[in-house]
Amino acid sequence: MEFKGIAHKFGDDVNTDYIISGRYKFKTLDMKELARHVMEDLDPDFYSKVNKGDFIVAGKNFGCGSSREQAPLAILNADISAVLAKSFARIFYRNCINTGLALIECDTDQINEGDELEVDVEKGVIRNLTQQRDIPVKPLPRFMLKILSDGGLVEHFKKHGTFNFD
Amino acid sequence: MGKTIAEKILSRKSGQDARANDIVLADLDFVMGQDGTSPLAIKAFEEMAGKETFDPSRVAMVIDHSAPSPLEGVSKLHAQMREYARRYGIILYDIGEGVCHQLMPEKGHVVPGSLVIGADSHTCTYGAINAFSTGVGSTDLAAGMMSGKLWFKVPETIKFVIHGQLPPGVYSKYLILYLIGDITADGATYMAAEYTGEAIRALSVEARFTISNMAIEMGAKAGLMEADEKTMEWVKRHTGQPFEPVQADPDAEYYMVKEYDVSALEPQVARPHTVDNVVPVSQVAGTTIQQGVIGTCTNGRLEDLRIAARILKRRKVHPDTRLIVAPASRRVMLDAIQEGVLQTLIEAGAAVVTPGCGPCVGTHNGVPSDGENVISTANRNFKGRMGNNKAFIYLGSPATVAASVITGQITDPREFLK
C-alpha cells in the first residue's frame, strides 16, 4: 500500500459529524453521494479540491463521536488514500481498518497544508517530498495490516471465512 | 507482574497471556446491535457470505433508537432486522422492550468476567457488573455475529479510586460528570477505566451502571468495576447462567491512578455542548429551561424514576416547561406503574413515551425548538444531539431534572430533598 498525494490539513477533535454531517448520513446509504459532502462543514470546497490519492492530515482525536461507519466510508469514497493524525478515536480507528481506509499515527506538525507526501503503509514510511524529510511512524500491527491489505474486514472474511492472521 | 481487570478478561477469552498493548483474537460471550447499526451489519454479513451466526442464543438485535418507527425509511430498516432475526433464529427485542443497554443485563445476557461487544458506543455500561464490554462498528458486529470472535488491542487502564461517602442528595451521575470534567473528553482514549473505592462500593448496582455507561465520554473503551456481593446478588436475580468474576491484582500495572474524596461533592451539571464542560449546579442555577428529559441508558432505571417521583410528588411541572419521561425498559415501566411512581410523574405533568432512546438521540419523541434549553439525564449534550443544532442541552441527574422542571429553571435538587 503505497500512496502519493497532497496533504489537506485539519485541526484537533474532528468528530464524525464534521466528517459527514447528520444532514446526509441518515438520508442515504449511497456512499458516492455521501462522499460529495465529506468535511463540508469544515471546508465547503473540500470534495472539489481533492485529487485521487490525497491525504487528510489532522491533529489529535480524529474521528471522535458516533460508531457509524459512514464516516470512514465517505472519506474512502472521496478517493482519499489515507488519514494521518496525531491520534484517533478508538471506534473510528477500528472502523477504518475494517472498511479498508489506511490510517497512520504520526507527528502531523511536520506536515503543512499542500505538502506532497509519499506514504508506504506496510513499511511505515512517510516521506514529505515538499520539505524533503522523513517523518517517524508508529507502524500498524500485523493483524491490522492483514485486514487492511485484504481491503477491509468484509473482503478478509470473503477470502478466509473467518479471522485469519497466519 | 499482576494484571488489571481488562488484561485478565482478555487473557481468559484469548487463551493468551494478554498484556496492555498486545493485540489478541478473543472469543465473544455475547454480541448486540441496535436499529441504527444493525442494518449495515446485516449488509456486511451478507457480503461476507455468512450462512449462520456462531450461536443464535448469543446474538441480539434491539429496536430502540427509533421505536416505534417515526418514518417510512426507518420502518424498512426495522423490517430488515425482523427478517434477519427470523431467518437466523437470533434474539430480537422489538419496539417497547426498551433501551439495549438496559436489556442486555436485565435479560441476563451479561455476567461478570464475560466479553461482550455491541454496535453502540455506550456498550461500556456492563463494566459495572464486571464484564469487559465495548462499542464497535457495524462490520465488527457482522464479523462477531459470524465467527464469535473479534480482535482487540488490550487497553492500558486508568484506575479511579473514589474515597469517602457521597453526601445526601448527591448521586452517582454527579460523580461521573465530575470525573469526566476532571479528566476531559479524551483523557482516557484507547484505555480502560477501573472504578473502585468505598464510594463506589456504597452504590447500588443501578447507580453503578450510570458511571460505567459514561466511560466512553472520557474516551475509554471499557468502564470496569469489581464484582462484590451486591453484584452477585443482582446478577443471580437476572440469570441462572454460571459465571466467574475477575478481580484486579494488587500489583497490576496502571497507566495512572487517580484518587478522589467525594465527601463534599456538590450536584454537577454538564453545560452545552460537550460532556466535559462540567460545573457545580450553583454556577448554572437560574438558567431558564423549556424541556426536561428523564430516561436513557444512563438514568432511566427504576431507582432513577423513584428519585424523580419523590421530588415531583404533589408538585407540578412549571407551566412554561415540559417533562418527558422514557423508562429504560418495559420491565422498568411495569415496576414503576406497580409502585405508583409513574402515576406520580404523570400527575405532576410528565409526558411518558415508549421505552427507548428517541428523546436522547433526536430521532423523535421530543426534539427541542431553536434556542431552547433542555435539562436531561442523558450522557451526551453535543450540538444537535437531540435533533436540533440550535438547542442547548444541559446534563444532570434525575433529581436535577425533576427539581428544574418544577421551578422552570436549573435548580439544585437538594432544596427539594430536605
Side-chain angles (χ1 to χ4, degrees):
Chain A
M1 279 172 288
E2 290 164 54
F3 306 111
K4 194 171 171 179
I6 300 297
H8 301 272
K9 276 206 89 170
F10 295 90
D12 292 338
D13 300 310
V14 173
N15 68 43
T16 48
D17 283 317
Y18 287 139
I19 295 171
I20 182 70
S21 162
R23 291 196 295 282
Y24 310 109
K25 190 164 68 175
F26 296 106
K27 273 194 191 149
T28 177
L29 282 179
D30 177 352
M31 295 305 154
K32 285 283 169 213
E33 176 55 30
L34 282 185
R36 307 182 71 82
H37 302 289
V38 81
M39 305 301 245
E40 192 179 82
D41 285 351
L42 295 175
D43 179 359
D45 303 323
F46 181 73
Y47 180 76
S48 57
K49 276 193 220 162
V50 170
N51 290 307
K52 196 173 170 65
D54 282 0
F55 304 96
I56 286 176
V57 178
K60 70 178 176 67
N61 202 25
F62 187 87
C64 56
S66 103
S67 66
R68 289 167 199 254
E69 283 173 13
Q70 281 88 338
L73 287 171
I75 294 175
L76 206 57
N77 281 281
D79 287 332
I80 293 288
S81 60
V83 183
L84 282 50
K86 288 181 189 166
S87 67
F88 293 91
R90 191 192 67 85
I91 298 177
F92 180 83
Y93 187 102
R94 295 191 69 96
N95 287 344
C96 283
I97 302 284
N98 288 339
T99 53
L101 174 62
L103 77 178
I104 296 176
E105 270 180 3
C106 63
D107 177 15
T108 50
D109 287 342
Q110 300 187 36
I111 303 169
N112 294 327
E113 171 74 28
D115 280 358
E116 191 182 17
L117 309 176
E118 203 172 63
V119 173
D120 184 329
V121 178
E122 273 159 71
K123 292 205 184 111
V125 177
I126 300 175
R127 193 152 291 159
N128 188 330
L129 300 174
T130 307
Q131 299 187 26
Q132 304 231 324
R133 62 168 163 179
D134 287 359
I135 299 165
V137 169
K138 220 158 91 185
L140 283 176
R142 197 173 52 90
F143 263 47
M144 298 183 200
L145 270 179
K146 174 89 176 161
I147 295 172
L148 209 51
S149 61
D150 280 341
L153 195 55
V154 167
E155 296 302 318
H156 181 83
F157 263 62
K158 263 196 209 168
K159 208 161 140 187
H160 307 286
T162 185
F163 287 101
N164 183 328
F165 299 113
D166 296 327
Chain B
M1 182 55 75
K3 287 183 177 176
T4 62
I5 297 176
E7 288 171 327
K8 281 198 173 175
I9 294 178
L10 290 170
S11 292
R12 175 189 284 178
K13 296 297 167 186
S14 67
Q16 289 176 39
D17 179 28
R19 300 283 177 171
N21 298 315
D22 287 350
I23 301 223
V24 297
L25 189 62
D27 290 326
L28 303 170
D29 291 296
F30 207 87
V31 173
M32 182 273 296
Q34 37 90 339
D35 50 335
T37 52
S38 294
L40 259 181
I42 291 170
K43 188 166 164 267
F45 183 90
E46 283 163 359
E47 284 170 10
M48 287 170 172
K51 299 269 186 299
E52 55 187 6
T53 64
F54 78 108
D55 179 352
S57 71
R58 291 195 277 163
V59 179
M61 286 184 186
V62 184
I63 299 179
D64 59 357
H65 274 55
S66 312
S69 169
L71 293 166
E72 200 180 321
V74 173
S75 304
K76 276 187 193 149
L77 299 174
H78 287 175
Q80 270 179 26
M81 290 171 69
R82 294 185 186 108
E83 165 58 21
Y84 182 92
R86 255 196 306 276
R87 183 181 307 165
Y88 295 99
I90 64 157
I91 302 160
L92 178 82
Y93 293 114
D94 214 316
I95 61 165
E97 278 284 1
V99 181
C100 53
H101 303 309
Q102 174 63 15
L103 293 172
M104 289 304 105
E106 184 188 286
K107 299 284 186 183
H109 298 311
V110 182
V111 294
S114 62
L115 177 61
V116 178
I117 59 158
D120 186 278
S121 59
H122 292 105
T123 304
C124 50
T125 307
Y126 333 135
I129 53 170
N130 193 237
F132 188 98
S133 57
T134 194
V136 298
S138 297
T139 309
D140 273 327
L141 173 61
M145 294 195 299
M146 202 165 142
S147 67
K149 293 178 192 295
L150 204 63
W151 63 268
F152 296 91
K153 182 172 175 192
V154 182
E156 295 184 291
T157 297
I158 299 180
K159 184 176 179 176
F160 294 87
V161 187
I162 318 295
H163 300 288
Q165 194 183 358
L166 288 172
V170 177
Y171 303 98
S172 66
K173 179 61 164 287
Y174 303 137
L175 170 55
I176 187 62
L177 285 176
Y178 182 76
L179 297 183
I180 293 165
D182 184 50
I183 198 159
T184 77
D186 66 346
T189 296
Y190 295 139
M191 293 184 225
E194 271 184 25
Y195 306 104
T196 184
E198 66 259 30
I200 299 290
R201 284 191 289 273
L203 295 172
S204 69
V205 171
E206 295 206 344
R208 293 177 193 176
F209 279 130
T210 304
I211 290 177
S212 293
N213 174 267
M214 294 187 72
I216 178 78
E217 307 311 331
M218 47 173 76
K221 180 171 186 167
L224 296 154
M225 296 185 191
E226 289 185 343
D228 61 6
E229 276 165 31
K230 284 184 200 169
T231 320
M232 307 292 189
E233 190 275 329
W234 194 95
V235 173
K236 284 176 186 163
R237 249 191 305 127
H238 292 86
T239 178
Q241 62 167 304
F243 59 89
E244 205 185 322
V246 156
Q247 292 208 326
D249 290 324
D251 60 341
E253 198 175 335
Y254 291 95
Y255 174 81
M256 180 162 72
V257 178
K258 298 274 286 178
E259 307 215 20
Y260 299 85
D261 191 310
V262 292
S263 301
L265 188 71
E266 287 177 67
Q268 306 285 311
V269 169
R271 296 178 291 189
H273 294 285
T274 56
V275 186
D276 58 0
N277 189 8
V278 176
V279 292
V281 66
S282 51
Q283 282 192 31
V284 283
T287 307
T288 305
I289 53 152
Q290 284 75 35
Q291 180 168 301
V293 175
I294 298 173
T296 78
C297 54
T298 319
N299 276 123
R301 286 171 280 274
L302 185 59
E303 193 174 287
D304 299 314
L305 301 185
R306 279 182 190 146
I307 291 167
R310 196 176 137 206
I311 292 173
L312 281 157
K313 185 143 187 104
R314 287 187 286 277
R315 294 196 173 100
K316 291 281 180 212
V317 172
H318 190 277
D320 297 330
T321 307
R322 316 175 289 273
L323 172 61
I324 294 166
V325 174
S329 72
R330 174 172 283 150
R331 179 77 263 156
V332 168
M333 193 167 187
L334 283 168
D335 289 345
I337 288 171
Q338 181 125 33
E339 281 191 12
V341 162
L342 220 50
Q343 176 152 0
T344 301
L345 296 175
I346 293 168
E347 280 173 354
V352 178
V353 300
T354 311
C357 313
C360 170
V361 289
T363 46
H364 62 146
N365 279 343
V367 177
S369 185
D370 291 2
E372 287 193 337
N373 292 327
V374 179
I375 180 106
S376 167
T377 65
N379 42 36
R380 281 197 181 136
N381 60 350
F382 300 163
K383 206 173 193 178
R385 172 73 179 178
M386 293 181 70
N388 182 340
N389 63 15
K390 295 183 193 72
F392 300 85
I393 308 167
Y394 295 79
L395 304 177
S397 79
T400 325
V401 176
S404 302
V405 295
I406 294 168
T407 59
Q409 43 185 276
I410 295 177
T411 301
D412 186 336
R414 292 175 299 183
E415 294 168 24
F416 289 91
L417 290 165
K418 281 171 188 157

